[in-house]
Amino acid sequence: MTARLADIASQAGVSEATVSRVLNGKPGVAAATRESVLAALDVLGYERPVRLRQRSAGLVGLITPELENPIFPALAQVIGQALTRQGYTPVLATQTPGGSTEDELTEMLVDRGVSGIIFVSGLHADTTADMQRYEKLRAQGVPYVLVNGFSPKVQAPFISPDDRAAMRLAVTHLASLGHTRIGLALGPRRFVPVLRKIEGFQAEMQDRFGLAPAESEKLIQHSLYTLEGGQAAASTLISAGCTAVVCASDMMALGAIRAARQLGLDVPRDISVVGFDDSPLIAFTDPPMTTIRQPVTAMGQAAVRALLEEVGGTPAPHSEFVFMTELVVRGSTASGPGSDSGAVSRTS
């Protein structure tokens, strides 16, 4: 106990006697000092005494499509931490194939009296989905924020990465390495992020190479956001003569590398591959993945701020907050075959 008191006192910058008074609920300690001691407990991994634990300000639901793609757990962690810091308890609800649907999860969260809901890559991103479900939710008095996928039919705050600019970054990078036959592997066309990525890709291919959209359309393959989906799409693009493939997720990019290797090709000597997300651990793949980094921390924190403003009665503008992405160059891209272009630095 003495050692623990000493650790907490050192972390908080107070005396052991002050720590003891806080832990025992004694009076005579300034509020700021009390908070410093409690924060030190949290940092050092000690549980707060039951009587000192802050009561939750309420539950907040977080609905994600799945957790196999590392970008979703990363977003969930940022959002969960931001909610906890504000005194709320996050409730993670995940869709699974053959399991609960988004509507069922929403109903479950509403039944449990959540203060609000954050939807990540949900039906709001599907241009064929009925957006009335969100208006019904608003009519029930439940605030919500939508991440990754904008719809003008829904009056709510949206948080999105700049998908168009991301594809322009990827094509610009590959073109600087001498690639001219660049393919794009992504998910089904009905999703807003997919449509935006196509727009950015086609615009840059036209600006760089004078390739009309009808021509660059031949360099686009739709598949699933999985390793197998990326493998299938990349196999087709490589067979069509592409020397570089831009993928709409890091999982798809790993599939593209597998496809290249199964065809006896080397990445990046024969085929360059660019991912999307900069998922955790993607820097440690073989080769380390060049990718477009989503600003996960900034997006997750913005989603929480927007939601809590709605909860607090001072709603954020019902518009889209667009966050810039970043090209992270690593080892999966290099000069195009027969190109004189030098490979750029492989540091992030």
Side-chain angles (χ1 to χ4, degrees):
M1 175 60 76
T2 301
R4 185 167 66 177
L5 286 176
D7 290 341
I8 298 168
S10 176
Q11 178 70 31
V14 299
S15 68
E16 291 182 36
T18 299
V19 173
S20 179
R21 294 186 72 83
V22 172
L23 295 181
N24 289 294
K26 301 292 185 182
V29 180
T33 302
R34 186 179 300 275
E35 286 303 314
S36 294
V37 171
L38 295 177
L41 281 173
D42 297 338
V43 169
L44 294 173
Y46 295 127
E47 287 191 16
R48 296 187 182 192
V50 174
R51 64 178 171 276
L52 298 179
R53 291 176 191 170
Q54 182 182 24
R55 292 195 64 184
S56 173
L59 305 176
V60 171
L62 171 60
I63 300 181
T64 64
E66 42 96 357
L67 293 177
E68 290 185 5
N69 187 330
I71 196 64
F72 294 128
L75 262 172
Q77 181 176 14
V78 170
I79 291 170
Q81 289 174 340
L83 287 168
T84 301
R85 282 196 295 270
Q86 296 300 319
Y88 288 84
T89 301
V91 180
L92 179 61
T94 306
Q95 299 176 62
T96 53
S100 299
T101 65
E102 179 181 311
D103 290 337
E104 290 168 342
L105 293 174
T106 300
E107 183 179 359
M108 177 268 291
L109 290 170
V110 172
D111 287 345
R112 281 159 176 74
V114 293
S115 300
I117 301 175
I118 297 175
F119 295 88
V120 177
S121 299
L123 290 170
H124 62 275
D126 188 338
T127 58
T128 66
D130 182 4
M131 297 299 156
Q132 285 299 312
R133 55 176 41 89
Y134 298 109
E135 293 310 308
K136 291 177 182 175
L137 185 60
R138 182 169 298 283
Q140 292 176 278
V142 181
Y144 56 89
V145 172
L146 305 160
V147 180
N148 210 350
F150 175 75
S151 172
K153 300 176 183 178
V154 181
Q155 294 299 305
F158 286 84
I159 308 294
S160 305
D162 193 333
D163 290 296
R164 298 184 185 93
M167 293 301 100
R168 283 184 171 272
L169 278 174
V171 172
T172 297
H173 168 62
L174 293 168
S176 73
L177 294 173
H179 295 277
T180 57
R181 189 79 174 170
I182 301 169
L184 176 62
L186 30 61
R189 187 181 286 270
R190 69 180 186 273
F191 293 109
V192 172
V194 170
L195 293 172
R196 289 179 169 182
K197 286 182 175 71
I198 291 173
E199 290 172 9
F201 175 79
Q202 291 186 322
E204 193 63 27
M205 292 294 283
Q206 186 159 25
D207 291 348
R208 288 274 165 181
F209 308 116
L211 210 59
E215 289 298 310
S216 58
E217 188 69 34
K218 301 172 184 176
L219 302 175
I220 298 171
Q221 280 293 314
H222 296 276
S223 189
L224 301 176
Y225 281 109
T226 61
L227 190 148
E228 292 78 13
Q231 181 178 352
S235 295
T236 301
L237 292 169
I238 293 170
S239 298
C242 292
T243 62
V245 178
V246 180
C247 298
S249 77
D250 290 334
M251 293 294 286
M252 294 187 80
L254 291 174
I257 291 175
R258 179 196 277 183
R261 287 176 174 165
Q262 286 192 345
L263 292 169
L265 303 174
D266 179 80
V267 178
R269 187 182 66 239
D270 303 312
I271 297 289
S272 285
V273 176
V274 178
F276 187 90
D277 285 335
D278 196 27
S279 311
L281 302 182
I282 207 67
F284 305 101
T285 58
D286 179 24
M289 185 73 69
T290 294
T291 189
I292 301 293
R293 175 182 292 159
Q294 283 202 65
V296 169
T297 300
M299 288 172 58
Q301 292 175 346
V304 171
R305 283 197 302 271
L307 181 70
L308 296 189
E309 285 175 359
E310 297 264 327
V311 171
T314 55
H318 288 170
S319 59
E320 184 178 24
F321 300 89
V322 180
F323 289 76
M324 290 301 298
T325 55
E326 176 187 357
L327 175 69
V328 183
V329 182
R330 298 192 181 103
S332 64
T333 52
S335 300
S339 170
D340 293 329
S341 300
V344 298
S345 171
R346 306 214 182 286
T347 63
S348 58

